[in-house]
């Protein structure tokens, strides 16, 4: 029986070794799988965080852009109305020059008050006259040349000889360039 016991014990030892090895392999595989799952979850979390940050940044840019567009729209919303008023202002200016030739002081004063009120109202809406005078240097970026005439003097060559139509700005934007005659 001794031999049988020894063989049985040897078999038991071998079975235990195989079982221990199998258990260790299984534990190692389980640990490796847990590490792989954990790594995968971390990677997925990083991807989602990146997506979220990009989406958040895109939304912030959208908010800023629409806010700028809205402010710009409010600034220039009245541009069409003011542009359509410019010929009326021009006519009023011409009428003022003719009325000033009259002897009726009350008429001149009344029309002058209306003229000033109109100009101040438009100014309060952001309309500003572009200052241009005869003798100023001509700049193609700031003026619109209607025609060129021979300069009356050498000083006026390449300069503005006459202002045909006033220019106007709405805020910082020029809505009508001054129309001028230049000296040649």
């Amino acid at each position: 029986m001794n031999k049988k016991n020894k063989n049985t014990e040897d078999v038991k030892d071998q079975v235990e070794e195989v079982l221990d090895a199998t258990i260790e392999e299984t534990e190692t595989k389980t640990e490796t799988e847990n590490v792989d799952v954990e790594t995968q979850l971390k990677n997925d979390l990083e991807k989602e965080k990146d997506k979220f940050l990009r989406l958040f940044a895109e939304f912030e840019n959208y908010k800023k852009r629409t806010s700028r567009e809205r402010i710009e729209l409010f600034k220039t919303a009245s541009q069409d109305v003011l542009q359509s008023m410019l010929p009326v202002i021009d006519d009023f200016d011409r009428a003022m020059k003719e009325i000033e030739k009259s002897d009726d002081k009350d008429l001149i004063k009344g029309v002058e008050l209306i003229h000033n009120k109109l100009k101040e109202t438009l100014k309060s809406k952001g309309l500003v006259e572009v200052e241009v005078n005869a003798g100023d240097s001509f700049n193609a970026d700031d003026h619109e040349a209607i025609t060129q005439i021979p300069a009356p003097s050498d000083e006026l060559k390449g300069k503005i000889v006459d202002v045909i139509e006033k220019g106007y700005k709405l805020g910082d934007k020029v809505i009508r360039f001054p129309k001028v005659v230049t000296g040649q």
Side-chain angles (χ1 to χ4, degrees), residues 25-39:
E25 285 177 18
T26 306
E27 286 176 356
T28 305
K29 283 181 183 177
T30 306
E31 286 176 11
T32 305
E33 287 174 1
N34 286 342
V35 170
D36 288 343
V37 169
E38 187 176 327
T39 305

Side-chain angles (χ1 to χ4, degrees), residues 35-98:
V35 170
D36 288 343
V37 169
E38 187 176 327
T39 305
Q40 182 65 32
L41 288 174
K42 283 182 180 179
N43 289 341
D44 290 347
L45 180 62
E46 287 300 316
K47 285 179 186 175
E48 293 302 319
K49 278 183 182 178
D50 185 55
K51 270 191 204 175
F52 172 75
L53 289 175
R54 288 178 189 275
L55 183 62
F56 183 75
E58 190 175 320
F59 182 68
E60 286 298 314
N61 290 337
Y62 168 76
K63 284 186 352 185
K64 289 176 186 175
R65 184 178 62 248
T66 55
S67 176
R68 277 192 310 266
E69 288 172 354
R70 177 175 283 159
I71 289 170
E72 186 66 29
L73 179 65
F74 286 137
K75 283 183 181 177
T76 59
S78 60
Q79 180 175 341
D80 289 340
V81 173
L82 291 176
Q83 276 182 320
S84 65
M85 289 294 294
L86 295 180
V88 175
I89 295 170
D90 294 336
D91 291 342
F92 211 120
D93 288 340
R94 285 189 283 275
M96 278 299 298
K97 285 181 184 177
E98 292 302 315

Side-chain angles (χ1 to χ4, degrees), residues 99-111:
I99 290 174
E100 286 174 355
K101 295 176 185 176
S102 170
D103 291 336
D104 190 356
K105 300 295 179 192
D106 291 333
L107 174 66
I108 294 171
K109 189 175 183 179
V111 174

Side-chain angles (χ1 to χ4, degrees), residues 115-161:
H115 184 252
N116 289 336
K117 188 173 187 176
L118 174 65
K119 284 204 169 204
E120 289 302 314
T121 302
L122 295 174
K123 193 175 193 178
S124 71
K125 300 299 178 190
L127 188 70
V128 179
E129 187 178 315
V130 176
E131 291 295 325
V132 180
N133 297 311
D136 290 349
S137 295
F138 174 74
N139 184 347
D141 293 332
D142 298 330
H143 310 107
E144 184 179 336
I146 300 294
T147 187
Q148 289 185 339
I149 61 170
S153 66
D154 288 341
E155 298 166 356
L156 292 177
K157 285 186 179 181
K159 295 194 177 193
I160 297 171
V161 175

